Amino acid sequence: MAHEHDIAEEQEFLARALVALEHMRSEAAALRDSAAVATMRGAGDLVERDVVMGTALQRLDQLAIGDQPLFFGRIDYFARGSEPGETYRVGRLAVSDKDLNPLVVDWRAPVAEAFYRATGVESLGLSRRRHVAIRGHEVVSLEDEYFANEEGELDLPAETLREATAEGLVDGGLALGGPGALLAALGQARTGRMGDIVATIQGEQDRIIRHPSAGILLVQGGPGTGKTAVALHRAAYLLFTHRATLERQGVLVVGPNPLFLTYIGNVLPSLGESGVTLSTVAGLVSNLAVSQDESEEIRRLKGDLRMAQVVARAVRTRERPLARDISFALGRATIVVRPEDTRDIVERARRRPGNHNQRRSAVSRELAARLAQRYGRRFGASDAEESTVEGDVAEQIRANFEFKQIVQRVWPRLTGQDLLHDLFGSPALLRVAAKGVLTEEEMAQLARPRSSSVEDVAWTAADAALIDEARVILGPRKRPRPVIAKNPEVLDGIDLEAYSGEIRAAALREAQRLNIQRLSELDEAEFVTYGHIIVDEAQDLSPMELRVLKRRDLAGSMTIVGDMGQATTPGSAASWSTLLEILEPRREPTRVELSVSYRTPEEVLEFAAPTLAAAAVGVNPPRAVRRAGVAPEVIETSPEQLAPVVVTTVRRLVEELSPGRVAVIASADDCPEILRFLSRAGLDAVDPRIEDGRGLGADLVVVSAEGANGLEFDGVVVVEPGRIVSRGAAEGAVSPRGLRTLYVAMTRPTRRLSVIASEGLPSTLQPRR
């Protein structure tokens, strides 16, 4: 434990830094106020005011850190000769006092690099690295790591040495300069927001975070290796390093589900970088509400790469000539549209460049012109009049409602939802589009009753990827139009009523110039692309979902993070080679493996290793660097006693790990009943998916094994592992995906794991003989 005088020292420094931060805010606010009401004498003054106002507003936004800790680390360098060693505090933004003396350095600045990269092998000149825990404006704890000098001497205080022994570091060549705040932090209670993990990034992760942005970077990492930390901090680092480019092009971070996005949502803003879009794959498909689940067999089928061909053929089957004559009235005349009138027009339109909806206008114009030509001849127009008459008649035909309905039959204007609604609701359309691609059984799985309206359809997450695929082929239904978006908060803090009308009007004009954006309202078939895309838990993406991401990739720059040993969703790509085949990188990708588990205790990884070996051949578990001191417990009971045993075990863990968090993880079908009997026993268990204000921040949650990827808890109780391993298999059988799902569930705890079974244990959890 740190001495009280060390905490007092950091508290005194924090007070100085907070005063300096407030002074910086005051200067920026004064600059904003003066620019807003400055007297302009010419064009040069206007330009200068624009620059000053923009700079002041941006600076105020940067300095608004709320209750986030101002700094989190300190690095001390060895003395060089007679010169004392330098000391730097590392935080979210640079802070200087009124005399411009630096107090806190930005964590992304080169001088802060040693805070992340220094190890026992390569100290980078550090004598000490201090991790400081701050809540609000109070220093609550700190921990020091000491590094050897050039002679290999390590000046490690005796009390720190005792802490290192108690921490239980695992032998085996992993060089750490001391006990490491990382290990202590991961042994402490987690928060529902994952805390701020900047201070826990170390060498292996840091090299990935600072990897060049060009091309695709693949990061394979097992449980506890910090995959999510890598993904989020790489986003912040790239935004800082390539700010001019990425602020314009944007950064997209993709997570596996909304629960996961809630879990990590506060990490990037707390680092000072809020210019990042967080989304699931389905969330990238605009104007589509996912409101229904479906069977794993159908999810697997819809995620299959063959569905891209089915969707493309489904569009082509809607581009078809008439099967019979159709007539409509135009004035006193009757116009007859014959199949031969449309056949060659459709064939030519199919060969035209552009998307489906874009080519519809050509079909309409050409068909109307053909009918007008026949109409003009029928009424005996002279050669001199023929051109004018035909043009006028063509316009009348195109404006005719019945003609528009005919064109809609020949070449309909469609949205992605229209296409999928028609395709799955019509066995005939489905058979034509899928013949030779899907089996009859697979076609039957996709068919569903047709809704009365496309607005009534309950879409699934797998539908979203198919709709996105269709939208690309179909194209927009309408042209974009400009939209003006205003930010009414630009002049907060300025009392404009205190100034004359002329000055007040000038300030308002400047505020509008700085904060009104002219945007193009995108059709749902159009989408935003990003300069860099970061994908977490990529092992669970289907081929069709990967195609959604590929379309959002602007520059061929992606960071893809995952663990193929944890691929648990139906239809997932399940291999890096398959993933790369779909993404088609523009240059040779870089592959990196996170081999060290910082979060998951050694006891848990050893317990789960047989399950991983059975589930994912060729995937090696990570090496652990910490022990929990308690082996995972396995409890076998009868079905009648399952509920009381779960209640007793959960109650014990909640009490022993308080103020930490405990999760009960089971198959999705079992979770509602577990929630009920825990509540009846007086335990405050919640479903974190329900918007009740607590979510994953609750002390006790019940989570499905299928939705546990990427989450972490202090203690975990896995209920009925036999049901989890049978996921996606016939009754009583074990599937590789079920084994991977169990592996994910068992590797969620940072401290304690209990497994309870009333229906027998999977072979991978049975005692070795």
Side-chain angles (χ1 to χ4, degrees):
M1 296 297 291
H3 295 298
E4 291 183 3
H5 69 82
D6 292 325
I7 292 181
E9 177 188 6
E10 298 301 334
Q11 184 68 56
E12 181 181 353
F13 180 86
L14 176 61
R16 285 178 55 206
L18 288 171
V19 170
L21 178 64
E22 186 57 37
H23 176 74
M24 293 167 67
R25 287 198 195 105
S26 299
E27 285 192 327
L31 193 63
R32 175 199 63 184
D33 295 352
S34 63
V37 297
T39 301
M40 300 295 105
R41 295 184 176 85
D45 290 342
L46 286 170
V47 172
E48 181 180 355
R49 183 187 64 183
D50 290 353
V51 173
V52 171
M53 174 65 84
T55 301
L57 291 172
Q58 291 173 7
R59 187 61 173 153
L60 282 170
D61 184 59
Q62 292 169 355
L63 297 175
I65 66 171
D67 292 330
Q68 295 294 327
L70 185 56
F71 66 95
F72 48 77
R74 166 178 165 172
I75 47 178
D76 298 342
Y77 285 88
F78 282 108
R80 297 182 178 179
S82 59
E83 297 182 4
E86 296 176 316
T87 295
Y88 299 95
R89 265 80 174 189
V90 182
R92 290 169 180 76
L93 74 166
V95 177
S96 302
D97 63 18
K98 61 181 180 180
D99 298 321
L100 301 183
N101 296 312
L103 298 178
V104 179
V105 299
D106 191 298
W107 72 279
R108 293 152 296 196
V111 71
E113 187 169 1
F115 183 80
Y116 301 100
R117 286 192 183 274
T119 67
V121 173
E122 189 176 3
S123 68
L124 302 180
L126 291 189
S127 63
R128 177 174 64 179
R129 172 168 51 199
R130 170 170 287 178
H131 301 257
V132 185
I134 298 174
R135 292 178 187 166
H137 295 169
E138 180 185 0
V139 177
V140 294
S141 66
L142 56 84
E143 182 180 346
D144 291 333
E145 294 178 77
Y146 294 84
F147 297 87
N149 59 20
E150 294 178 354
E151 287 73 34
E153 298 172 350
L154 182 65
D155 184 17
L156 189 64
E159 62 271 19
T160 303
L161 183 60
R162 286 195 296 272
E163 289 175 12
T165 303
E167 181 67 38
L169 297 183
V170 180
D171 294 331
L174 294 174
L176 297 174
L182 179 61
L183 306 179
L186 293 174
Q188 293 171 357
R190 286 290 180 185
T191 67
R193 293 282 186 174
M194 204 175 162
D196 204 27
I197 48 181
V198 175
T200 66
I201 304 298
Q202 289 196 338
E204 190 174 59
Q205 297 177 343
D206 187 64
R207 284 189 290 273
I208 294 171
I209 290 170
R210 297 171 191 265
H211 188 276
S213 64
I216 291 181
L217 174 65
L218 300 178
V219 181
Q220 161 72 36
T225 54
K227 297 187 298 297
T228 300
V230 167
L232 298 177
H233 283 82
R234 180 160 170 77
Y237 179 77
L238 290 176
L239 269 172
F240 178 80
T241 307
H242 307 284
R243 180 162 302 184
T245 300
L246 292 181
E247 278 191 339
R248 182 178 70 256
Q249 297 179 347
V251 172
L252 170 66
V253 176
V254 177
N257 52 59
L259 187 61
F260 180 84
L261 294 180
T262 301
Y263 188 52
I264 67 173
N266 272 8
V267 175
L268 277 172
S270 72
L271 296 175
E273 296 295 353
S274 56
V276 178
T277 298
L278 296 176
S279 181
T280 61
V281 173
L284 295 172
V285 184
S286 61
N287 298 337
L288 186 78
V290 174
S291 59
Q292 184 168 300
D293 292 326
E294 57 194 344
S295 71
E296 294 193 349
E297 291 77 11
I298 297 178
R299 287 172 61 193
R300 182 188 300 108
L301 177 57
K302 288 182 177 178
D304 194 297
L305 192 58
R306 293 176 297 162
M307 289 301 299
Q309 185 178 356
V310 172
V311 170
R313 290 174 63 176
V315 174
R316 187 174 178 85
T317 60
R318 305 300 297 275
E319 303 164 351
R320 56 196 177 190
L322 290 177
R324 57 181 177 81
D325 292 355
I326 299 180
S327 60
F328 65 95
L330 185 69
R332 292 175 297 173
T334 300
I335 306 295
V336 179
V337 186
R338 305 184 182 98
E340 56 266 27
D341 293 329
T342 60
R343 192 171 294 117
D344 61 323
I345 292 175
V346 168
E347 287 303 317
R348 280 194 296 275
R350 284 177 170 176
R351 294 193 296 269
R352 285 177 178 270
N355 54 57
H356 170 88
N357 287 331
Q358 186 179 24
R359 288 176 285 161
R360 184 181 190 273
S361 295
V363 173
S364 175
R365 284 195 304 269
E366 191 170 346
L367 182 57
R370 176 170 295 182
L371 297 174
Q373 187 179 39
R374 184 189 305 158
Y375 182 90
R377 286 198 305 268
R378 178 178 175 182
F379 285 89
S382 66
D383 292 342
E385 298 173 334
E386 185 173 347
S387 177
T388 302
V389 169
E390 288 180 8
D392 291 343
V393 171
E395 289 301 317
Q396 293 178 47
I397 290 174
R398 292 190 69 191
N400 184 277
F401 175 77
E402 291 176 275
F403 175 78
K404 291 179 180 179
Q405 294 298 103
I406 293 172
V407 174
Q408 185 69 8
R409 295 182 64 172
V410 172
W411 198 283
R413 193 185 302 276
L414 297 168
T415 67
Q417 292 96 311
D418 291 333
L419 184 80
L420 217 64
H421 177 229
D422 294 342
L423 179 66
F424 292 162
S426 169
L429 286 176
L430 186 57
R431 189 172 297 108
V432 172
K435 184 178 181 181
V437 181
L438 304 181
T439 66
E440 290 290 335
E441 182 181 356
E442 288 172 330
M443 294 182 208
Q445 288 178 340
L446 291 175
R448 62 190 180 199
R450 182 177 174 83
S451 301
S452 58
S453 168
V454 70
E455 285 77 20
D456 297 332
V457 179
W459 300 109
T460 69
D463 288 334
L466 299 180
I467 289 172
D468 195 71
E469 187 81 25
R471 286 176 177 178
V472 174
I473 303 171
L474 294 169
R477 291 194 63 182
K478 59 185 178 181
R479 293 180 179 178
R481 57 188 178 88
V483 177
I484 296 179
K486 296 183 180 180
N487 178 2
E489 300 178 357
V490 59
L491 292 176
D492 278 0
I494 299 180
D495 182 12
L496 290 176
E497 297 302 322
Y499 300 97
S500 69
E502 182 180 348
I503 293 177
R504 183 165 61 248
L508 288 171
R509 285 196 300 272
E510 180 62 14
Q512 290 174 347
R513 187 197 69 78
L514 287 168
N515 290 273
I516 292 183
Q517 295 179 309
R518 291 189 177 274
L519 308 172
S520 290
E521 184 183 36
L522 296 180
D523 183 87
E524 62 184 16
E526 300 171 305
F527 44 79
V528 177
T529 55
Y530 298 87
H532 192 82
I533 298 177
I534 293 178
V535 185
D536 201 3
E537 305 294 345
Q539 74 279 353
D540 280 335
L541 295 180
S542 71
M544 293 304 294
E545 289 174 322
L546 289 170
R547 287 173 65 86
V548 174
L549 296 181
K550 179 184 176 183
R551 287 189 279 270
R552 269 72 180 175
D553 177 20
L554 174 64
S557 177
M558 303 178 77
T559 301
I560 303 175
V561 183
D563 177 17
M564 290 304 163
Q566 298 185 61
T568 61
T569 58
S572 63
S575 75
W576 291 119
S577 58
T578 301
L579 181 146
L580 289 174
E581 287 176 8
I582 296 168
L583 293 179
E584 298 178 322
R586 304 171 195 180
R587 62 177 70 190
E588 186 66 24
T590 301
R591 302 192 188 204
V592 183
E593 182 171 0
L594 290 166
S595 60
V596 179
S597 176
Y598 294 92
R599 186 203 74 212
T600 310
E602 182 189 37
E603 298 92 336
V604 170
L605 285 177
E606 288 183 348
F607 180 77
T611 301
L612 174 64
V617 177
V619 177
N620 298 317
R623 296 177 293 166
V625 295
R626 60 182 292 267
R627 294 192 184 103
V630 178
E633 64 174 344
V634 177
I635 303 172
E636 293 190 77
T637 185
S638 65
E640 297 76 19
Q641 289 298 309
L642 178 65
V645 170
V646 171
V647 168
T648 301
T649 304
V650 169
R651 193 187 304 277
R652 172 168 49 84
L653 283 184
V654 169
E655 293 173 354
E656 293 176 356
L657 299 179
S658 180
R661 297 179 306 116
V662 174
V664 179
I665 302 180
S667 67
D669 292 340
D670 290 340
C671 286
E673 177 59 26
I674 292 173
L675 271 168
R676 282 191 289 270
F677 67 63
L678 288 176
S679 298
R680 285 197 298 266
L683 290 166
D684 187 16
V686 303
D687 180 347
R689 299 172 301 173
I690 297 175
E691 297 289 339
D692 69 343
R694 289 184 296 167
L696 288 166
D699 293 338
L700 176 60
V701 298
V702 177
V703 180
S704 71
E706 298 86 339
N709 269 38
L711 306 181
E712 59 184 24
F713 306 92
D714 297 278
V716 167
V717 178
V718 176
V719 179
E720 297 293 17
R723 296 187 185 180
I724 296 174
V725 297
S726 64
R727 183 181 179 210
E731 187 175 352
V734 174
S735 70
R737 187 156 56 87
L739 288 167
R740 291 194 294 267
T741 305
L742 177 60
Y743 177 70
V744 169
M746 294 191 301
T747 53
R748 297 308 91 200
T750 62
R751 296 165 71 182
R752 301 280 290 278
L753 171 65
S754 298
V755 178
I756 303 174
S758 70
E759 299 178 355
L761 292 169
S763 60
T764 58
L765 299 186
Q766 292 176 0
R768 299 176 186 175
R769 298 178 180 177

